[in-house]
């Protein structure tokens, strides 16, 4: 009897500890409202997903896809709400935002309510709430009401500089979906490669999709350039592109294609030199930078672009088509008789107005076909076309100007949103990159609504986007390294209300959990520097050093002064006291090794 009572208490204590542990809610991006309850809901083999409406059934299928991927099993779906169920309900969507949802977890089951997009995001939050203990999966009792801060939450991926196959695109789309990002801006064409099959112009995939060589090292490393001698390229068939669009749509992600014009088009000119300004012969270049070879503004060019866009519009149902418009050197137009004739005939002031005229024609064509045009902020120069949406990349100035003129804007300033920039100040500790320095906190702390705009003007800020240019990113592994964790920070910039954002809270509470999950799903990421706190220890006159990793369950190996932190270094188990400094600066070096044995760079911090 006594023994039984003891056992009973043991189980009680065990369950209580279990339930307390389970109450941690670490959803990324942080939801608008979270009310934690007591207890948990256990997901077992008898749990089923209830989905009555066709929309809910579609979400159920994707929910099972993610469950299978993360935990190796799926749940039965049915349309009767019995006990032990996860109910997906799209019958009464909330009014505030198409993407808002309510998620209620009790110890008996789960209920998610919203539109299809909302329930999809509720299901993503649920997936992030699932915790595993041995073979058991459980979810803390909680009540969540959530909606996004911005309607547009995007990631741009440049596949022109380096090609990434559809498996990699889908892998990125899965992570984007889990982070509630809803737009993939697919940068499909650039000087160094054209990536989309266009049936009417087969040379785009036979010639423009390939270059015979790529420069070694950074643009500034060697002059003349030194080449690797390796053929590089690839393209998506229309069928593959449609498959990506469908895959994305199932995850509430819209794919916006970008077809660059009038610049960034050398690859096209290599196949169709008659569209250039007579400065050929052209070849698909294997070096980066802004190229001077641009389209001529003649009728055959418009015919070509309209034919291309006509095929593009059959693949991409998005409301927007991005036409680039950035970095267009005007020297070829300055010395072209044709360009000057068009300037004269149309009473244009200069080549900038010629670019506006060019973009205006394309906008009219897109609008006639029910599409809206997006361009980089250079489309402001020479006058903005009437209905254009501006993507502000050279800082915020272009976005601010466009919003003041009543145009819609997407903020992606290079100061905060260029994830091709280095992730450490000391470039030598990072893989080859374009330069610059964009640490995680600078992404996180970005507010896309400039204070220079009035509340009414701020309504034109549709949202925010990070840009992944890939001049120096040739592999999937490196692509993921550059994206994460910065794109996780982007997710909170886009979704979480500004008042509800807090970098310390993000890195200490949510980042460790999401990084662990990203690692478990086989996605690469850069292990961020730990939080190192150094204080004076008055009693010993030494420094007291606390090191906290942002990856859950990771180990830290460190040395102080002089030695490399490798696996012969000391394992960090708690705050350490430095040797006596005697005023001499010391260096702390450390590496972080995750549970899955992923090892970070060596990081160093001066102990002063
Ligand atoms: C850009 O970075 N050229 C838009």
């Amino acid at each position: 009897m006594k023994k039984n009572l003891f056992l009973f208490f043991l189980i009680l204590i065990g369950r209580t500890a279990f339930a307390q542990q389970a109450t941690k809610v670490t959803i990324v991006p942080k939801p608008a409202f979270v009310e934690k309850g007591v207890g948990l809901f256990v997901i077992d083999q008898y749990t089923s997903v209830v989905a009555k409406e066709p929309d809910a059934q579609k979400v159920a299928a994707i929910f099972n896809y993610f469950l299978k991927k993360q935990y190796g099993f799926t749940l039965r779906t049915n349309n009767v709400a019995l006990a032990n169920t996860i109910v997906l309900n799209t019958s009464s969507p909330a009014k505030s935002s198409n993407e808002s949802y309510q998620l209620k977890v009790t110890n008996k089951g789960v209920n998610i309510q919203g539109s299809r997009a909302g329930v999809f995001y509720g299901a993503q939050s649920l997936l992030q709430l699932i915790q595993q203990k041995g073979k058991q999966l459980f979810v803390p009792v909680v009540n969540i009401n959530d909606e996004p801060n911005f309607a547009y939450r995007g990631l741009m991926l440049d596949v022109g500089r380096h090609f990434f196959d559809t498996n990699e695109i889908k892998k990125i789309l899965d992570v984007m979906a889990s982070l509630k990002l809803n737009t993939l801006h697919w940068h499909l064409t650039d000087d160094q490669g054209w990536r989309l099959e266009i049936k009417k112009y087969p040379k785009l995939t036979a010639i423009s999709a390939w270059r015979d060589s790529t420069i070694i090292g950074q643009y500034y490393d060697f002059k003349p350039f030194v080449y690797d001698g390796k053929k590089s390229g690839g393209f998506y068939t229309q069928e593959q592109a449609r498959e990506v669009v469908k895959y994305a749509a199932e995850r509430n992600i819209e794919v916006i294609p970008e077809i660059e014009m009038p610049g960034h088009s050398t690859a096209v000119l290599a196949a169709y030199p008659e569209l250039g300004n007579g400065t050929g012969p052209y070849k698909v270049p294997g070096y980066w930078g802004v190229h001077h070879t641009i389209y001529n503004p003649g009728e055959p060019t418009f015919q070509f672009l309209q034919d291309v866009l006509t095929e593009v519009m059959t693949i991409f149902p998005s409301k927007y088509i991005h036409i680039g418009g950035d970095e267009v050197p005007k020297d070829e137009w300055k010395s072209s008789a044709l360009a000057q004739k068009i300037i004269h005939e149309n009473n244009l002031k200069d080549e900038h107005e010629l670019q506006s005229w060019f973009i205006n024609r394309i906008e009219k064509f897109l609008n006639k076909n029910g599409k809206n045009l997006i361009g980089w902020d250079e489309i402001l120069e020479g006058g903005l076309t009437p209905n254009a949406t501006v993507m502000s990349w050279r800082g915020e100035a272009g976005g601010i100007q466009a919003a003041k003129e009543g145009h819609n804007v997407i903020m992606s300033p290079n100061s905060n949103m260029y994830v091709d920039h280095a992730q450490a100040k000391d470039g030598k500790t990072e893989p080859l990159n374009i330069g610059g320095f964009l640490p995680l906190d600078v992404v996180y702390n970005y507010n896309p609504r400039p204070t220079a705009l009035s509340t009414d003007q701020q309504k034109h800020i549709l949202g925010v986007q990070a840009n992944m240019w890939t001049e120096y990113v040739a592999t999937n592994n490196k692509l993921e390294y550059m994206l994460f964790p910065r794109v996780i920070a982007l997710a909170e910039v886009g979704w979480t209300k500004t008042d509800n954002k807090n970098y310390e809270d993000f890195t200490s509470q949510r980042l460790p959990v999401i990084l662990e999950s990203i690692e478990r799903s086989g996605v690469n990421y850069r292990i961020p520097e730990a939080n190192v706190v150094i204080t004076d220890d008055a009693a010993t006159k030494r420094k007291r050093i606390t090191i906290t990793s942002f990856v859950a369950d990771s180990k830290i190996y460190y040395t102080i002064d002089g030695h490399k932190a490798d696996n012969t270094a000391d394992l960090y188990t708690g705050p350490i006291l430095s040797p006596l400094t005697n005023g001499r600066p010391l260096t702390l070096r450390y590496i972080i090794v995750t549970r899955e044995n992923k090892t970070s760079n060596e990081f160093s911090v001066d102990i002063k």
Side-chain angles (χ1 to χ4, degrees), residues 40-42 47 82-87 103-112 126 139-142:
L40 47 89
F41 170 63
V42 175
T47 307
L82 298 168
N84 192 6
T85 50
I86 296 169
V87 179
L103 165 62
K104 201 172 173 60
V105 182
T106 67
N107 56 9
K108 297 199 173 55
V110 177
N111 195 294
I112 305 175
L126 177 63
V139 186
V141 168
V142 70

Side-chain angles (χ1 to χ4, degrees), residues 3-179:
K3 196 176 157 204
N4 278 351
L5 203 64
F6 177 68
L7 260 178
F8 172 75
F9 275 117
L10 212 64
I11 290 166
L12 203 66
I13 291 163
R15 275 197 77 95
T16 313
F18 192 46
Q20 267 164 6
Q21 183 196 354
T23 56
K24 219 167 166 205
V25 172
T26 56
I27 296 165
V28 181
K30 190 178 182 190
F33 172 82
V34 176
E35 182 185 39
K36 284 189 273 182
V38 181
L40 47 89
F41 170 63
V42 175
I43 297 176
D44 58 26
Q45 79 232 55
Y46 304 109
T47 307
S48 61
V49 178
V50 178
K52 289 184 189 158
E53 308 80 22
D55 274 353
Q57 284 160 8
K58 286 178 190 143
V59 177
I62 303 290
F63 176 70
N64 262 333
Y65 163 87
F66 279 97
L67 260 187
K68 174 107 186 155
K69 199 170 135 178
Q70 287 172 24
Y71 300 102
F73 71 91
T74 56
L75 295 175
R76 281 173 302 137
T77 54
N78 61 41
N79 54 16
V80 245
L82 298 168
N84 192 6
T85 50
I86 296 169
V87 179
L88 306 180
N89 181 352
T90 56
S91 68
S92 52
K95 303 232 163 26
S96 55
S97 152
N98 176 45
E99 298 181 312
S100 69
Y101 67 91
Q102 289 178 340
L103 165 62
K104 201 172 173 60
V105 182
T106 67
N107 56 9
K108 297 199 173 55
V110 177
N111 195 294
I112 305 175
Q113 200 160 313
S115 66
R116 177 177 166 187
V119 171
F120 177 77
Y121 284 145
Q124 288 300 331
S125 290
L126 177 63
L127 284 159
Q128 289 194 24
L129 284 173
I130 295 175
Q131 297 172 42
Q132 190 165 22
K133 198 176 162 85
K135 286 203 162 148
Q136 189 148 57
L137 297 187
F138 56 92
V139 186
V141 168
V142 70
N143 196 3
I144 294 175
N145 285 328
D146 201 7
E147 63 176 10
N149 194 12
F150 289 99
Y152 184 109
R153 305 177 302 280
L155 174 65
M156 186 218 71
L157 180 59
D158 165 17
V159 294
R161 271 54 176 268
H162 281 102
F163 177 72
F164 297 89
D165 69 19
T166 54
N167 287 336
E168 182 61 14
I169 306 293
K170 288 177 181 174
K171 193 175 174 190
I172 302 299
L173 287 169
D174 276 1
V175 187
M176 286 176 68
S178 75
L179 294 171

Side-chain angles (χ1 to χ4, degrees), residues 272-285:
Y272 299 99
E274 63 276 18
L275 304 182
N277 293 283
T279 50
Y282 307 99
K283 64 179 279 205
V284 183

Side-chain angles (χ1 to χ4, degrees), residues 258-280:
E258 179 180 355
I259 305 294
E260 275 267 24
M261 63 189 79
H264 287 285
S265 47
T266 316
V268 176
L269 303 185
Y272 299 99
E274 63 276 18
L275 304 182
N277 293 283
T279 50

